[in-house]
């Protein structure tokens, strides 16, 4: 339901505002280079938009497969947790305890990330926090991706001024580093 509320025009307008800001900053450049820069920024906008839409299409098309695999993983995990093999009982106890603690820590992190993103006013706070929950199972890399993922959403939000976007981005980065 939070995806239905997202207005892509808002973020496209934010990208256009960023483009205008860059062009205004570079007024001292020769006009022929400025035209080339404008052309390349338009190409970049088109490319980024097609990449984002392609990524969303891929995510939506692979949802069924992912859901099936997730259910199978959860069933096998539940089976292993409820009736571990008698050989190596201590190993299974350690692994089961680790995954339980890791899941609890990831849930707390995801909740904190949601509070931070919702407090900033991010439209996709719920989706990003759920993705953060699962990415946090990946050692080291998952945490970095969790910090970088909301950046474009915050940076291209045209409903707020550029200063607020930058402030939100810095607040999100520092907050995510502190809670992780």
């Amino acid at each position: 339901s939070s995806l239905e509320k997202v207005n892509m025009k808002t973020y496209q307008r934010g990208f256009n505002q960023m483009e205008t800001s860059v062009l205004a900053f570079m007024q001292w450049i020769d006009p022929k280079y400025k035209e080339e820069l404008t052309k390349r920024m338009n190409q970049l906008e088109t490319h980024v938009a097609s990449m984002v839409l392609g990524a969303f299409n891929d995510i939506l098309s692979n949802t069924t497969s992912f859901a099936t695999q997730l259910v199978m993983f959860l069933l096998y995990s539940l089976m292993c947790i409820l009736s571990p093999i008698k050989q190596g009982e201590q190993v299974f106890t350690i692994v089961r305890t680790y995954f339980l603690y890791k899941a609890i820590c990831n849930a707390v992190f995801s909740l904190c990330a949601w509070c931070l993103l919702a407090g900033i006013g991010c439209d996709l706070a719920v989706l990003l926090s759920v993705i953060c929950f699962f990415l946090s199972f990946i050692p080291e890399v998952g945490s970095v991706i969790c910090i970088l993922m909301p950046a474009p959403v915050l940076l291209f939000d045209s409903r707020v001024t550029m200063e607020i976007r930058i402030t939100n981005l810095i607040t999100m980065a520092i907050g995510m580093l502190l809670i992780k």
Side-chain angles (χ1 to χ4, degrees):
S1 68
S2 69
L3 284 177
E4 294 170 356
K5 296 178 185 176
V6 175
N7 184 359
M8 287 302 288
K9 295 281 186 201
T10 300
Y11 297 100
Q12 187 174 19
R13 204 171 29 249
F15 184 85
N16 289 337
Q17 288 172 354
M18 293 276 298
E19 177 185 29
T20 304
S21 297
V22 168
L23 291 175
F25 179 73
M26 304 184 110
Q27 285 296 326
W28 55 272
I29 294 180
D30 189 12
K32 75 174 185 179
Y33 295 118
K34 185 177 176 183
E35 290 173 11
E36 180 66 25
L37 182 62
T38 303
K39 184 175 107 180
R40 288 184 185 224
M41 289 293 278
N42 288 334
Q43 290 173 348
L44 177 64
E45 177 186 2
T46 304
H47 180 69
V48 168
S50 67
M51 273 184 14
V52 168
L53 289 176
F56 278 128
N57 286 338
D58 289 344
I59 289 169
L60 291 175
S61 68
N62 292 323
T63 302
T64 305
S65 173
F66 175 75
T68 304
Q69 291 176 5
L70 180 65
V71 167
M72 293 304 293
F73 169 76
L74 292 174
L75 286 174
Y76 280 120
S77 298
L78 185 64
M79 212 168 43
C80 183
I81 289 171
L82 295 178
S83 61
I85 301 172
K86 297 299 179 200
Q87 296 175 335
E89 179 85 25
Q90 186 178 11
V91 172
F92 288 111
T93 303
I94 291 169
V95 170
R96 183 176 54 218
T97 305
Y98 168 77
F99 278 115
L100 177 66
Y101 289 157
K102 185 69 175 167
I104 291 170
C105 289
N106 289 355
V108 170
F109 169 68
S110 181
L111 179 67
C112 291
W114 174 78
C115 289
L116 176 68
L117 292 170
I120 288 174
C122 180
D123 283 341
L124 300 174
V126 173
L127 177 66
L128 292 172
S129 62
V130 169
I131 293 171
C132 282
F133 172 80
F134 290 108
L135 284 175
S136 293
F137 282 101
I138 303 170
E140 307 303 325
V141 177
S143 300
V144 173
I145 295 171
C146 286
I147 293 170
L148 296 176
M149 219 175 14
V153 175
L154 295 173
L155 198 58
F156 296 145
D157 189 358
S158 68
R159 295 171 297 175
V160 294
T161 63
M162 185 61 71
E163 292 80 18
I164 294 175
R165 291 183 212 175
I166 300 298
T167 303
N168 286 346
L169 187 65
I170 292 170
T171 302
M172 180 274 309
I174 292 172
M176 292 286 249
L177 286 172
L178 289 176
I179 61 177
K180 191 59 179 168

